[in-house]
Structures are given as structure tokens and as C-alpha cells.
Amino acid sequence: MQGLLESIIPNDEKRDFKEFISMLTQQEKKLLLRNDIILAFERFCDSQGKEESYKTTSETVRFLNKVQDLFILESYTVISYRHALARYRLLMLRNDAEYMEEISTDQYLEFKDRYFGGGSAEDRMRHLHLDFKPFYDFSPSIRDPKKLGNGIRFLSRYLCSNIFQHPREWKRKSFDFIKLHKYNGTQLLINGDIIENFRHCLNEIEKMIARLETLPAQTPYNEVASDMKKAGFEPGWGNSVGRIVESMEMLKELIDEPTDVMLESFLSRVTLPLISKIAILSPHGWFGQENVLGKPDTGGQVIYILDQVRALEKYLEKEIALTGLDIKPQIIVLTRLIPDAGNTSCDQRKEKIHGTENAWIVRIPFRDQNQNVIRHWISRFKIWPYLERFASDAETELMHTFHGRPDLIIGNYSDGNLVATLLSDKMNVIQCTIAHALEKSKYLFSDLYWQDMEREYNFSIQFTADILAMNKSDFIITSTTQEIVGTEYEMGQYESYQFFTMPQLYQVVSGVNLFAPKFNVIPPGVDEQIYFPYTAADQRIQHQTRKWEGRLFTDSSDEIYGQLDAPEKPPIFTMARFDKIKNITGLIEAFGMSRKLREKYNLVFAAGTIHLDESQDEEEREQIRQAYALIDQYQLQGSLRWLPSIPKLETGEAYRVIADRKGFFVQPALFEAFGLTILEAMASGLVTFATHFGGPREIIRDGQDGFLINTSEPQLIAAAIEGFADSEEKNPDLWKEISEKGIERVRESFTWSLYSERLINLAKLYGFWRFSVSAEGKKKMDRYCEFIYHFLYKQRAEQLE
């Protein structure tokens, strides 16, 4: 019988494999990630005089490419082998490479804990083990990892199958669900006092269809409202006879011959009144419409939410009108009030969102345990003690503003998702989770070495909050599939929560079930009124163009650093928060170390502030110090401009002015969950370079409409831009070709109108699922999460006050 090792490494490569493992075990570094392993294997092949093809085609490298990490013990090497998307085999290889066996997740975590966490065996025995897998027995499971991210389609097929197999039960559930439809106490769709059951409902529907079909399809609802009410049909079926008949026919067809498409169509048609009041949670940072971008913890998430709100309101207004109801949608963004708000509006309790009819930012202060208002800004890593009181105040605010419960609660980031979880539980409302970015995959070894980072980041609390929100939410939205399940060789953000250990705190045996049908990919769009191509001269305002030509290239100001000796050179441009992950200092170093880039281009960037004493965030302050040091080291005075963060409404013209000079947008982040600035730059016509670590891989088609680059080292960033410069010398039209394809890419694939339609349809389907199937099944999950919240999360959070 062939052993496990022999099934992976063929006999003709076994000797090389043994030599390689021997080399690894003798080096000082004992914990290696995939990139470390591949680089080590390449060095090994070079030392052994192997052909280049051996580095890429051997069975050994095929195996190593799928090893996420390994750590070396005294006698064994423990390996995490990701043989398929989100599928792992955990292996223990004897260090002479003669024997390998598969181990359980518990064993793997125990080995890791023992090696990296220290402590006595008795301490390790007392570890808390978190395992959510047993609590998903109420939910169907997706089998094919390639279908992850399209949970709505899987769930609708599952529900249709159940409708077909258990028609009597589903007729009852459907009837009860339709009867739930109310708006501010007014009954919609069906009057349960007149129509007694589903059989009666279908009979009345057939009669009503026969009567309505005698009338012109465009006949307005108010002309048939009286007859419909007498038969037991309340408003909400449609604004015209033709639409009412279509809705009723859909219900009949769904019961007679259910399909996933028909279920989604019916739910989107008749349940829209349920989704007219939306609460969006975003507590951390500086949430406002002006003078906030670039401040600590404040960036793309604010832009995302404001654009999302405008698009959702517009979509809901249009769709609600088609139901025949006189209802105006309401959207509230709940965030934190900051009394010491500086030049921002973050001290205003209520602020109308520009470009909307009835959408507002509502701010609630953080309060300490003595109910005193916290006046100053607090880092997102330090806000955990205040969130429960914030959630309680938020509930009161929402009940008052909406005159009842919201129909949908959307959380943003770890803190907002935790508050959404608390509110959803208390108010029994559909919950949507949007992480934007999960810190666990951004900070290397943040689980293993959490104790070393705890004083600054409080990851023990944040990761616990993430796990609670992931498992409690009804559905989860991501901007890319990679956020969920990664790529062929790299794990996704959510995937990193499947199993891990935080030594001397807890071991997570199963932290999130990626195969539960709650994950859905909906990429955001861009505001087309702000981000349009630089070639659209009739849309551009010349005053704004002149203003940004001056600010970007020539004006002198005490808030702008640097004068350009040759402002006519094409600019390399970026803008982002000034933190370590955004890696602006990496771009400065890339520019500084490349003679070719300095000769051919200028570097212009907008980030935070040029004045160290104006920053309140230590990570930002460190990046500012590093930026100045690099500018001096490479003597970049005369070829570099550093501006403060640009107001949101003016970023579009800033991009276009850069494009006028055939410049580039470079997004040098070490990791990016999605990358709204990438969409904005491409929509404006800029040739764009972006990190290949994370979401940009699903925006940019490398070499066609932009470029994906390795941002892990400054020299790699420089090499990518130099490569384009070389290609442009051979093809002078290259910049224009890539620019035009980038514009087309955004227009075709990333629009807020499509986003809004999909989000609302998700809320309806998962609302139906919550009511009809999962409510009873989730009770055990709810109790388990309550235990973790009160005895783990809450205790640790309260210690921060």
C-alpha cells in the first residue's frame, strides 16, 4: 500500500526532497510561510544545479506551492497543505523525510500552541476551544469551493427543491411570510382576516387575475384598489393592473413549478416593502462628508458607505413606486459623535447626506462606564469597551427615527459588525456583514504573536468580535471572491478564520463555515458624476482644472511639501491614508532608488499631513517620519510633491489633471481588500498599477486595462513602472490604449446601480430564509455566541477602560 509521502513526492524526486527538508531544518528560521518556502526551494535548486524547469514543474514544487505554512519542531515538521480552495490536509513530516502522516486540526493547533505559545502542558489543557461547525446543522452546505461567493443562487435552488418536495409545508410558510408584510402598522399584500389560508389565497388570486385581465394593463392601482381590498388583497402587488397580474402569476408559478430564478423574481417583486428602512453601522474613525479623508482610520470605507447610501435610496425609490405604495425609503448611517471634532462635522448629532432625499448621518457619542461622554477621537483598536453602550443608544435612536424597527441592519468593519450583531439580536432584524478588511490577514502572525501586539492592537478582542459577527449574520457581502477564499495558492481573509490559535487564550478549531451559503460577492461602483474620463472636456470645470494643476504641480503653501524642478514631467501619483499597510513609503523608496523613474517622472502623493505635530495616530506619525527620512536619503527635493488628503468631491478632477499629463496612479499597498481608489483612477482615465495582494486582482486584468504588481519590496514596484516605460518607448500609443480599456472596464463591471439591486435582493431572500427555515435552527448557535460574547469578548473589552 502506497504511503502518504509516496503519494505526494514521486520516487525520482524523493532524494531531492529529503535534501531540501534537511536544509530547512538546519536553518535558524523555524516558521515559514509559502513565499519563504518557495524562495528557499529556488535557492536549493540553484545550489544543486537544477534546471529552471525543475523549479516550476516538479511534483515537489507543485506540493510546496500549496503549503501555506510550516513550522519545524525537534523531530518533525508540521505542514498546512492547502490542496484545494479552502480545503486543507494537516501533515506531520518526520525530519528525515522518510515518513509523513495526516493529523487532526486539534493536533495541528496543539503543536503550534506548544511551539509558539510556551506555557505548561497543564496551561494548554485549559485552553478554550472554539468550534462553530456543529452549529451549522440547520444550514445546507456548498460543496464546490469555486461556487463560494454566490450564496444567493445556491440558497434559492435549495429552497426551491424544498418547495417542490414539501409543497404543503411551504404553502403554509409562504402564506405566513406574505402576511408579515406591514409598513408602520398598515397591512400589505394579504389581509389574513379575509383570506384564511394558502388554498383560499390561490383561489382568490385566480379570480382576481381573471377580473383584472379584462382591464387595460396600464390601469392604475387606485382604480382597482376597492375591489382588491374586498377580496382580501392589500396594497403592494403593483402600481398598475399589468404589474399586479404579473406578481400574482409569479406566486402561482412558484408554487406549481418552483425554480431558483422564479423564487428570486417573486421575492424581489412582492417583498420590497419589507426593505424600506435601513440602518448602516460604522462607529470608528471620522465619519463625515468633508475634511475627514486622510485622518486616522478614515478613508475608503467612508466613500463606500456614502456612495452606497445614495445608490440604495435611488434604487428603493424607483422600485417602491412600482409596487403602488406611497412610501419613501429611509436610510440612517449610525456613527460616533466626536465633540472635539476640529474642522469636521463629526460633532453634529445629525447631518443630511448630500444628494439624498431622506438619508442621514446620525452620531451617537461613546460613553464610559460612568456615562461620561468621550470627547476625543479614539483609534479603531481601542474602541471596544464603548460598543455595547453605543449599541444600546443606537437602538433607542433607531426606534425613534424609524417609528419602529429597521428592516435591514448593515455592519461595516469589525466594530460596526459587532454592533450590528447586538442590534440584530435585540430587534430581530436581518443582519448583513461587510468587513471591508480583516486585520488578521493584514498583520503577519497577528494570531500567534497576539500577546506582543495586544497593547497596541487588541487583536484578542477584535478577532473574537469578527468571529461572532461572521457566524451571527444572515448574509455577508464581499467585494471580491478572494476576500472569502483567496486564490489557488493564497488563502482568503475569511478563510484565515477557519482554524488558528492564539496561544494561552484560545484555539479556534472551526471559526467560520465558508461553505454555508451566506457569502456573496457584490463589487461596489464609483460615482459617475465625480469620476468621469479626463477626455470629457464638456463635463470639466476649468476653474477646478486650473486649481488642481496649481496644487499638484506649482503652488507654494505651508501645507504642501516640495517644489518640482520640471513640473511638466508625467507624474506618478497615489493617495491613501498614511499607515503601514498602504505602503506609501514603499512607493517613495521605489521612486528614490530608480534613476530611470527620477529622470522620466515626478512623484506626487496626497496623504494625511506634512506636519508631524498635526497627527494624533502613532502609526501615521511613524510613516511621516519615515517619509521625510527617505526623501532626504534619496535627495528627492525637486522631483517630489506631498499634499494633504484631497476632499472627496475634488478627487475626480485631481485624477484627471494627472491623466492630462499621461501620469499613472500607483496603489502600492502591501494588501488591499478591494481598492476603491483603483476604480476611481481607472474611471478617470489614469493608467493604474495596483498591488496583486488581494482584491485588485478582480478589478484589473493585468496588462490589458491596468497592471498588477508585487508590492512586497520597493525594487519590485520600481521594476514594474520601469517596464511600462520601456514598453511605451516601443509603442507610444500604449498609455492611451490602457487608459481607454480601464475606463471601459469600470463602466461594464462596477456600477452602484447593479450593486444596489443585488444587495436588496439578497436582503429579501435571506429574510425569507431567516423566517421560513433558519430561525429555529440558529437557536443553538445564538446561545453559543452569547456565551463567547459575555465570558470572553466582554470581559476582555471591559479591561481596556
Side-chain angles (χ1 to χ4, degrees), residues 426-702:
K426 190 75 181 290
M427 306 175 85
N428 191 24
V429 174
I430 306 162
Q431 178 191 351
C432 168
T433 283
I434 306 177
H436 295 282
L438 293 164
E439 305 287 354
K440 185 172 178 295
S441 53
K442 288 167 61 177
Y443 290 82
L444 198 59
F445 305 130
S446 53
D447 50 2
L448 284 178
Y449 299 119
W450 68 274
Q451 293 176 88
D452 298 335
M453 305 181 187
E454 191 73 352
R455 178 182 294 273
E456 186 173 359
Y457 296 114
N458 292 300
F459 284 145
S460 70
I461 303 172
Q462 183 162 4
F463 297 170
T464 307
D466 286 336
I467 288 173
L468 288 170
M470 289 173 193
N471 287 287
K472 288 283 289 179
S473 58
D474 293 290
F475 65 100
I476 295 172
I477 286 177
T478 68
S479 297
T480 67
T481 306
Q482 291 181 61
E483 287 178 58
I484 309 166
V485 76
T487 64
E488 182 180 1
Y489 297 124
E490 297 169 348
M491 73 167 60
Q493 293 184 61
Y494 280 94
E495 187 182 348
S496 71
Y497 282 79
Q498 280 191 293
F499 57 91
F500 63 96
T501 181
M502 302 183 78
Q504 300 185 41
L505 181 63
Y506 56 61
Q507 294 176 357
V508 177
V509 180
S510 176
V512 61
N513 182 1
L514 297 181
F515 296 88
K518 63 168 61 180
F519 290 92
N520 292 274
V521 176
I522 313 181
V526 294
D527 187 331
E528 295 175 6
Q529 293 181 326
I530 298 175
Y531 305 105
F532 54 85
Y534 73 102
T535 53
D538 57 331
Q539 291 181 254
R540 298 178 68 175
I541 300 172
Q542 290 305 307
H543 172 74
Q544 284 290 309
T545 302
R546 289 191 296 272
K547 171 186 173 179
W548 281 101
E549 285 174 342
R551 282 188 66 78
L552 289 166
F553 305 122
T554 59
D555 289 352
S556 295
S557 167
D558 61 2
E559 64 176 4
I560 298 175
Y561 177 88
Q563 288 294 324
L564 302 177
D565 294 338
E568 70 280 358
K569 286 183 182 180
I572 296 170
F573 178 67
T574 195
M575 62 178 177
R577 293 191 313 275
F578 223 151
D579 62 32
K580 189 186 305 181
I581 292 296
K582 295 301 183 183
N583 196 33
I584 290 176
T585 51
L587 178 60
I588 297 171
E589 187 166 6
F591 182 76
M593 66 172 47
S594 169
R595 179 178 298 176
K596 182 164 192 170
L597 295 186
R598 294 201 310 273
E599 289 175 352
K600 190 173 179 63
Y601 306 108
N602 288 316
L603 176 61
V604 181
F605 64 92
T609 172
I610 67 172
H611 301 295
L612 189 64
D613 58 359
E614 290 182 0
S615 173
Q616 304 172 24
D617 182 74
E618 185 50 44
E619 185 172 314
E620 181 181 57
R621 289 167 63 85
E622 176 55 35
Q623 292 296 299
I624 293 171
R625 284 189 285 263
Q626 190 175 340
Y628 279 121
L630 289 167
I631 292 167
D632 289 342
Q633 177 184 342
Y634 291 104
Q635 299 179 7
L636 298 180
Q637 294 84 356
S639 60
L640 175 145
R641 288 268 284 181
W642 174 1
L643 286 74
S645 299
I646 300 173
K648 153 81 170 172
L649 292 176
E650 300 187 52
T651 52
E653 191 57 30
Y655 287 127
R656 287 187 286 273
V657 166
I658 298 291
D660 287 336
R661 303 193 182 200
K662 288 196 169 182
F664 311 105
F665 180 77
V666 180
Q667 201 264 36
L670 298 174
F671 176 85
E672 185 61 61
F674 182 66
L676 275 176
T677 54
I678 297 169
L679 287 185
E680 294 167 359
M682 292 171 68
S684 304
L686 271 173
V687 170
T688 299
F689 295 78
T691 180
H692 70 196
F693 299 114
R697 294 170 68 108
E698 294 183 36
I699 300 175
I700 292 174
R701 294 172 295 192
D702 189 32

Side-chain angles (χ1 to χ4, degrees), residues 90 206 279 288 396 516 572 575 620 647 760:
L90 304 172
E206 289 178 358
T396 302
I572 296 170
M575 62 178 177
E620 181 181 57
I760 296 302

Side-chain angles (χ1 to χ4, degrees), residues 134-332:
F135 300 99
Y136 276 92
D137 55 0
F138 70 90
S139 171
S141 184
I142 298 172
R143 295 184 179 181
D144 184 357
K146 293 179 181 178
K147 294 182 179 178
L148 296 177
N150 196 8
I152 186 173
R153 182 51 47 87
F154 178 88
L155 190 59
S156 59
R157 287 175 179 169
Y158 172 83
L159 288 170
C160 284
S161 174
N162 272 267
I163 292 171
F164 188 79
Q165 293 176 30
H166 309 285
R168 181 176 296 179
E169 179 184 354
W170 278 94
K171 286 175 182 177
R172 177 183 58 78
K173 287 183 176 180
S174 299
F175 182 67
D176 290 343
F177 181 67
I178 294 172
K179 286 196 301 180
L180 286 177
H181 288 57
K182 293 182 180 180
Y183 180 79
N184 287 351
T186 301
Q187 183 65 45
L188 304 174
L189 298 176
I190 288 177
N191 186 332
D193 293 332
I194 298 175
I195 298 178
E196 299 172 354
N197 53 48
F198 197 83
R199 182 188 295 271
H200 186 190
C201 180
L202 284 183
N203 287 338
E204 291 300 324
I205 281 177
E206 289 178 358
K207 295 177 186 176
M208 183 56 61
I209 289 174
R211 273 182 287 193
L212 294 178
E213 285 182 335
T214 64
L215 301 173
Q218 65 270 25
T219 303
Y221 165 73
N222 58 16
E223 293 187 17
V224 297
S226 177
D227 286 346
M228 289 186 66
K229 276 182 168 289
K230 288 176 184 176
F233 296 111
E234 301 291 345
W237 291 93
N239 64 341
S240 67
V241 162
R243 192 164 177 89
I244 294 167
V245 170
E246 283 180 10
S247 299
M248 290 182 169
E249 290 281 9
M250 278 183 180
L251 179 58
K252 283 180 57 185
E253 191 174 342
L254 178 63
I255 297 302
D256 293 339
E257 209 170 330
T259 67
D260 57 323
V261 175
M262 182 56 63
L263 177 61
E264 290 178 44
S265 297
F266 174 71
L267 290 176
S268 69
R269 176 68 67 94
V270 302
T271 63
L272 197 135
L274 281 179
I275 313 296
S276 63
K277 303 172 183 178
I278 300 176
I280 299 176
L281 279 299
S282 184
H284 80 259
W286 300 76
F287 199 103
Q289 299 180 86
E290 294 179 13
N291 300 325
V292 297
L293 294 183
K295 287 184 176 292
D297 295 346
T298 309
Q301 181 177 318
V302 174
I303 296 171
Y304 179 110
I305 292 171
L306 292 174
D307 285 348
Q308 174 197 51
V309 167
R310 295 185 188 98
L312 283 173
E313 185 188 63
K314 197 173 297 183
Y315 176 78
L316 288 171
E317 285 175 341
K318 181 183 69 174
E319 292 301 307
I320 290 175
L322 293 174
T323 67
L325 296 167
D326 185 18
I327 293 174
K328 296 296 182 185
Q330 294 175 273
I331 304 176
I332 298 296

